[in-house]
Amino acid sequence: MSFDLYFAGVQNMSAEQAMLDRGCCRLYSQLRDRPRGQLWLDHAKENPGTKVFVDSGAFSAWSRGKEIDVDEYINYVNTNTNELTLFASVDNIPGELTRTPTLKEKQQSPILSWENYLYMRERVKDKDKLLPVFHIGEDFKYLNNICNVILDGKHIPYIALGGTVGIKDRKVKENWYKQCFRVIKDSKNPNVKVHAFGMTSLNILENFPFTSADSTSWLMTSNNGNIITRFGVVCVSNVSSDKPNHISKLPKHTQQQIAAEVAQYGLTLEECSEDYKKRSVFNVNHLQDWADNYQYKGNDRYQKRLF
């Protein structure tokens, strides 16, 4: 069973080429990354089946104190609708970057997000590719509505869960996902496909019945001198040998196993120790291998995974 792991973020063309070569799923922000996104749209034209997900960029706009032109975004996705696999609705983020949102803003946020979804849905060419987003901290009645609502004679086929980026406590995330999937299972749309925005924990993705997720971990770990291995995140940078997770501190047989995995992608540990681009190429390949060989380890407590 495979998993749709969408690689998010923009770093270097070596990693981009590795994604293209491996047939990876790609997510990009329409607000910041349209030039890189065009590479994938062009690729999708020539390679049917390529999965491309465009994010609205709502968080980036919010962090800059700007607003997204929803109509221009609708025109953009409609222009590229044949090449796009999914696109996110423009969700509302309460408050401002420099201040905590008021209670009223928090209460209104999911209502405004839903209104944006309905506005976009009426105007996009392919309604089934448009994902509404339910955020951590919002009242579960809004998730219940997303799951149970009937639009154009049917339930929404694909939804997204978001807002967990920046939450470091794994238990908080897991407990929230448990609650979300209980709501989903008890709804009239229990087999709805679910995307996890900004989810980097592979263990969590294996324990909950997500259909897809996106992550920048391939990029962030390489920038910090690390690679992602089956032994966890391991530092290989030659300028960070003092880190407790540096490869030099691992048992020799573990070092040899990591070196062998690196070699299978045509790389060496020495290259990875010196070049973040090589590390990112390795990370792309490692994560895509995980996605290609994905195994759901959860059970029917929340929802049956049918795909």
Side-chain angles (χ1 to χ4, degrees):
M1 182 185 295
S2 62
F3 184 91
D4 288 345
L5 181 64
Y6 285 85
F7 289 81
V10 172
Q11 190 196 64
N12 67 83
M13 284 307 299
S14 295
E16 212 72 45
Q17 189 59 54
M19 294 178 203
L20 291 167
D21 291 343
R22 289 296 305 270
C24 295
C25 305
R26 193 68 165 99
L27 178 144
Y28 69 95
S29 167
Q30 66 90 22
L31 190 66
R32 298 176 303 159
D33 303 326
R34 287 195 188 188
R36 188 59 57 91
Q38 191 60 49
L39 170 70
W40 284 84
L41 294 173
D42 292 340
H43 182 74
K45 286 181 182 179
E46 301 296 326
N47 299 271
T50 300
K51 294 186 177 182
V52 184
F53 189 158
V54 61
D55 183 32
S56 70
F59 180 80
S60 295
W62 174 82
S63 65
R64 298 174 186 178
K66 298 181 179 180
E67 291 187 4
I68 292 175
D69 185 332
V70 180
D71 290 312
E72 195 280 331
Y73 178 40
I74 291 170
N75 181 64
Y76 178 75
V77 297
N78 280 340
T79 300
N80 300 290
T81 191
N82 291 333
E83 289 71 49
L84 289 172
T85 307
L86 301 169
F87 42 88
S89 176
V90 179
D91 45 343
N92 176 269
I93 301 174
E96 299 173 355
L97 184 63
T98 56
R99 67 172 176 81
T100 302
T102 64
L103 177 60
K104 183 178 180 180
E105 287 173 329
K106 289 181 179 180
Q107 292 173 335
Q108 282 211 309
S109 185
I111 298 173
L112 295 174
S113 291
W114 181 244
E115 290 176 352
N116 281 343
Y117 172 76
L118 294 177
Y119 181 86
M120 290 189 65
R121 184 182 172 88
E122 289 179 1
R123 293 161 177 81
V124 297
K125 292 180 179 178
D126 195 332
K127 305 180 192 311
D128 287 350
K129 293 180 179 180
L130 177 66
L131 272 62
V133 186
F134 177 70
H135 302 86
I136 191 170
E138 294 176 347
D139 194 307
F140 281 97
K141 68 182 181 182
Y142 297 108
L143 176 59
N144 190 63
N145 173 68
I146 289 172
C147 292
N148 286 298
V149 69
I150 299 291
L151 298 171
D152 302 312
K154 65 179 184 179
H155 292 295
I156 298 172
Y158 216 139
I159 68 174
L161 303 179
T164 61
V165 174
I167 297 177
K168 296 181 179 180
D169 191 330
R170 176 180 172 135
K171 281 295 182 184
V172 171
K173 296 180 183 180
E174 288 183 327
N175 288 335
W176 184 64
Y177 288 136
K178 285 179 184 178
Q179 290 176 284
C180 287
F181 280 107
R182 286 189 185 117
V183 171
I184 292 168
K185 182 182 178 182
D186 292 339
S187 75
K188 296 178 181 179
N189 190 15
N191 294 316
V192 62
K193 295 180 180 180
V194 183
H195 179 85
F197 268 119
M199 174 44 59
T200 60
S201 171
L202 302 185
N203 288 334
I204 288 179
L205 294 177
E206 290 172 346
N207 288 329
F208 291 92
F210 289 106
T211 306
S212 59
D214 67 271
S215 173
T216 59
S217 60
W218 65 274
L219 178 160
M220 300 301 292
T221 53
S222 62
N223 285 350
N224 291 324
N226 304 323
I227 59 174
I228 305 169
T229 77
R230 59 193 177 93
F231 303 100
V233 174
V234 176
C235 179
V236 296
S237 173
N238 56 8
V239 297
S240 303
S241 58
D242 58 328
K243 288 187 176 180
N245 68 326
H246 194 269
I247 191 169
S248 62
K249 295 178 172 59
L250 297 176
K252 286 296 182 183
H253 68 277
T254 302
Q255 294 181 36
Q256 291 169 354
Q257 288 177 291
I258 293 173
E261 184 180 359
V262 170
Q264 78 180 48
Y265 304 126
L267 302 167
T268 67
L269 275 177
E270 183 177 1
E271 288 176 323
C272 290
S273 72
E274 298 172 348
D275 189 348
Y276 75 93
K277 295 180 182 179
K278 301 294 185 182
R279 294 193 292 269
S280 65
V281 168
F282 173 82
N283 287 336
V284 165
N285 278 286
H286 176 86
L287 289 170
Q288 189 57 43
D289 279 348
W290 173 87
D292 289 343
N293 298 285
Y294 172 83
Q295 293 185 351
Y296 175 51
K297 299 176 181 177
N299 55 36
D300 292 339
R301 287 175 298 169
Y302 315 116
Q303 172 194 26
K304 289 186 178 180
R305 196 178 196 282
L306 302 180
F307 31 78

